[in-house]
Amino acid sequence: MNTRRISVLVLMAASLLPGYFCAVPVAAQSKKVSPVAPRREQVEAIVKEAYEKYKGETRGKNADYIPYLAKVDSKLFGIAIVTTDNQVLTMGDVTYSFSIQSISKVYSLALAMEEQGPEKVLKQIGSEPTGRPFNSPNAVVDMATHSGNGFVNAGAIATVSLISGSTADEKWNKILNFYSKAAGEKLVLIDEVYKSEAATNTGNKALSYLLAKYDRIYADPFESVDVYTKQCSVGVNATQLARMGATLANNGVNPSTGEQVIKVEDVPHILSTMMEAGLYDGSGTWAWNVGLPAKSGVGGGIVAIVPGKGAIAVFAPPLDEAGNSVKAQEVIEYVSQKLNYNLFSPTSVGWK
């Protein structure tokens, strides 16, 4: 039996085993070899360790202020890594489609910069940590920028208002298409999530009118909130999310499709905002412990970017008090430490 046939049979057998670590061969993915992407065998071993170590974690609880999210199975747990040379490594529940929630803010920010340029986005949205909860009306009142940054709700709604479109539907379709390009696959709205959020988004409507008071929203306030609510309700699985992250790690080029989705010059601005505000009130502790640009969502996902190497996405619904997935934080911190990914550590660039 030849080697190729053996490899195919092994992969077919692996796909039948629940929770088995699935790895797509590099040759089937891309001929380009990254000079800095981690060694495959090492990553596989460490992700297996992390999965086994944390699969029994029971701390945290599902977000319950959005009725749909409260009903998601809290035992779901998936890990996906996509490297800049398009290696795909997965384990666990990586095909389950969950709502992207606040992770969407990363890619709407990228789209706004694509259209308006980073200087205008910085001027009209800002990039300052608020020091307040992500939905704080006090931050809108007190901060000089009012919108704070693109990852708190006020800043995210203002970001959506910057994106061009003659109608709300045109703007929404543009956003969804942009997300799909970053994921390398067509993404869709989870309508039940959208309806659930739209029925309970009074706080975001209030933020939009506060922004209007300070001339910091650039389209109809309630229309902007509605489009923002839809973007948070997009369905994504862990593998798609890791590919969206790897697009940032790969200088804005989707490693699967080869398309330049995000401008090269915009990537550092996006990653810096992820570092300062990507995990809500836990962003400072995350930078201290992990040292990777990342973004979380209350749907249970977190994606972390390792520039030049790839991205890791983890999905597990139970959240801590700040709104970040407990398991996802633990897994990414474990993998980051084992692989010396922390960007603030000289060992991340080979210094011993």
Side-chain angles (χ1 to χ4, degrees):
M1 185 178 293
N2 64 40
T3 302
R4 177 179 175 82
R5 189 178 180 191
I6 291 172
S7 298
V8 171
L9 289 174
V10 169
L11 285 169
M12 290 174 64
S15 68
L16 300 176
L17 298 176
Y20 193 90
F21 189 89
C22 301
V24 180
V26 179
Q29 294 285 318
S30 171
K31 293 181 179 179
K32 179 183 177 183
V33 178
S34 168
V36 294
R39 186 164 56 86
R40 183 181 200 86
E41 295 80 5
Q42 183 185 25
V43 177
E44 288 180 0
I46 290 170
V47 172
K48 284 180 183 178
E49 289 173 14
Y51 185 85
E52 293 300 322
K53 182 177 178 67
Y54 296 111
K55 67 180 180 181
E57 173 66 77
T58 59
R59 290 182 301 135
K61 66 175 185 177
N62 288 30
D64 55 11
Y65 62 92
I66 300 171
Y68 178 95
L69 300 183
K71 298 184 295 183
V72 175
D73 184 354
S74 62
K75 294 184 176 63
L76 289 167
F77 178 34
I79 305 171
I81 289 178
V82 175
T83 65
T84 52
D85 56 5
N86 204 30
Q87 298 179 65
V88 181
L89 307 102
T90 64
M91 191 168 193
D93 301 306
V94 296
T95 60
Y96 179 87
S97 185
F98 57 94
S99 59
I100 193 171
Q101 294 297 330
S102 284
I103 303 171
S104 66
K105 297 169 180 175
V106 174
Y107 298 91
S108 288
L109 182 66
L111 179 56
M113 284 195 284
E114 175 82 19
E115 292 191 341
Q116 307 290 341
E119 294 80 9
K120 185 173 181 180
V121 171
L122 179 63
K123 180 179 179 180
Q124 297 194 273
I125 305 298
S127 186
E128 300 296 338
T130 68
R132 306 286 180 85
F134 65 92
N135 57 357
S136 170
N138 290 336
V140 177
V141 174
D142 294 343
M143 293 192 73
T145 63
H146 299 295
S147 45
N149 63 73
F151 294 167
V152 294
N153 284 11
I157 294 165
T159 300
V160 168
S161 77
L162 272 180
I163 296 169
S164 64
S166 58
T167 66
D169 283 344
E170 181 182 337
K171 184 177 292 191
W172 157 240
N173 288 326
K174 181 184 291 185
I175 289 171
L176 184 61
N177 184 57
F178 190 78
Y179 291 6
S180 297
K181 287 181 179 180
E185 299 177 35
K186 178 65 177 175
L187 301 180
V188 298
L189 179 77
I190 303 178
D191 193 56
E192 189 177 351
V193 177
Y194 166 65
K195 289 177 179 177
S196 184
E197 291 203 44
T200 57
N201 67 359
T202 306
N204 283 335
K205 289 177 178 177
L207 289 176
S208 75
Y209 258 58
L210 262 182
L211 288 168
K213 170 182 170 64
Y214 297 106
D215 297 320
R216 298 294 288 192
I217 194 164
Y218 311 103
D220 180 80
F222 282 10
E223 178 184 285
S224 299
V225 170
D226 187 61
V227 175
Y228 167 74
T229 303
K230 283 183 176 178
Q231 77 171 39
C232 290
S233 305
V234 169
V236 68
N237 62 42
T239 305
Q240 292 166 336
L241 185 58
R243 192 176 297 113
M244 293 175 81
T247 297
L248 282 166
N250 198 35
N251 249 348
V253 176
N254 185 310
S256 175
T257 66
E259 181 178 2
Q260 184 80 50
V261 180
I262 298 168
K263 289 182 178 179
V264 173
E265 58 268 30
D266 293 344
V267 171
H269 304 305
I270 297 166
L271 296 183
S272 67
T273 309
M274 293 175 79
M275 185 67 83
E276 72 188 24
L279 268 77
Y280 308 120
D281 295 348
S283 298
T285 301
W286 175 266
W288 179 289
N289 289 330
V290 184
L292 290 178
K295 187 70 193 80
S296 65
V298 295
I302 298 180
V303 61
I305 316 302
V306 191
K309 297 181 181 180
I312 177 170
V314 182
F315 166 61
L319 313 176
D320 64 14
E321 291 184 359
N324 303 310
S325 170
V326 173
K327 281 183 184 176
Q329 290 178 84
E330 291 174 329
V331 168
I332 297 171
E333 180 175 352
Y334 184 87
V335 172
S336 173
Q337 290 177 350
K338 290 287 186 177
L339 293 174
N340 294 319
Y341 278 169
N342 189 321
L343 298 186
F344 300 115
S345 172
T347 59
S348 68
V349 291
W351 187 272
K352 302 299 183 183

